[in-house]
Amino acid sequence: MSARIAIVSTRDLDVMDVDEELLFPLLPEAELAHWDDPNVNWAGYEVAILRSTWNYTEHLDEFLAWATRTSQVTRLVNPVDIVEWNTDKRYLADLAARGIPVVPTVFAAPGEPVSPDAVAGHVVVKPTVGAGSRAPSCSVTTQPAPLPTWPPFTRTAPPPWCSPTSRQSTSTVRRR
């Protein structure tokens, strides 16, 4: 193996992410490696950089076990404790508790009642363990709550993929 850097993805992707296509010409010492390929020799790399491991959400225990094993034979970016913490969106509550601005978020177990204020306006409903835009649903009420003014939240309308839907039980409600 001549590559010193593993750009970590999953076998479930048919094609590379666009940003990875841009990265590889600039990093000739890197190659794509799949976290879920048991034949990869992770000790052969100086570093393994997590990039497009999108299926970890369906295989969380296996993914975290892989991350732990891999971190023992090469440098994993990011450290395992950070990877584990970041796999569940409840990390947003930890950041907020430290005074770091985050998307206003309410966490609720399926079937748990949620305050009407928490789901007023433009909201995105997502599982707490999820990647990208997998399994979100949206709700737009007729009386939208005012949007925060911090720059990432200046959207005045829901994103195009968000159409009015009925309220669903969820794990995470994120106001848009």
Side-chain angles (χ1 to χ4, degrees), residues 14-129:
D14 294 333
V15 296
M16 273 191 261
D17 279 357
V18 172
D19 58 341
E20 291 168 346
E21 290 177 16
L22 298 171
L23 176 66
F24 281 105
L26 302 172
L27 252 163
E29 63 275 24
E31 69 182 8
L32 199 64
H34 302 119
W35 79 267
D36 48 357
D37 180 350
N39 298 315
V40 174
N41 175 15
W42 297 103
Y45 296 104
E46 291 178 30
V47 64
I49 302 172
L50 297 173
R51 287 292 308 135
S52 51
T53 58
W54 302 122
N55 70 342
Y56 80 86
T57 59
E58 291 91 33
H59 310 282
L60 186 58
D61 291 340
E62 295 94 332
F63 176 74
L64 293 174
W66 166 84
T68 299
R69 285 190 313 274
T70 300
S71 71
Q72 294 167 354
V73 297
T74 192
R75 188 173 68 139
L76 182 65
V77 178
N78 285 322
V80 174
D81 57 335
I82 299 297
V83 172
E84 184 172 2
W85 174 70
N86 192 244
T87 60
D88 188 310
K89 290 183 183 39
R90 289 182 188 95
Y91 77 90
L92 294 170
D94 293 339
L95 293 175
R98 290 176 172 85
I100 298 170
V102 298
V103 175
T105 305
V106 174
F107 296 97
E112 180 181 339
V114 177
S115 132
D117 289 343
V119 292
H122 303 291
V123 297
V124 176
V125 179
K126 298 176 81 170
T128 56
V129 175

Side-chain angles (χ1 to χ4, degrees), residues 1-2 7-8 10-11 13 19 23 39 41 70 90 104-105 113 125 132-133 166 174 176:
M1 170 185 328
S2 60
I7 304 298
V8 184
T10 173
R11 293 184 298 179
L13 288 180
D19 58 341
L23 176 66
N39 298 315
N41 175 15
T70 300
R90 289 182 188 95
T105 305
V125 179
S133 59
S166 62
R174 301 172 85 182
R176 297 290 298 187

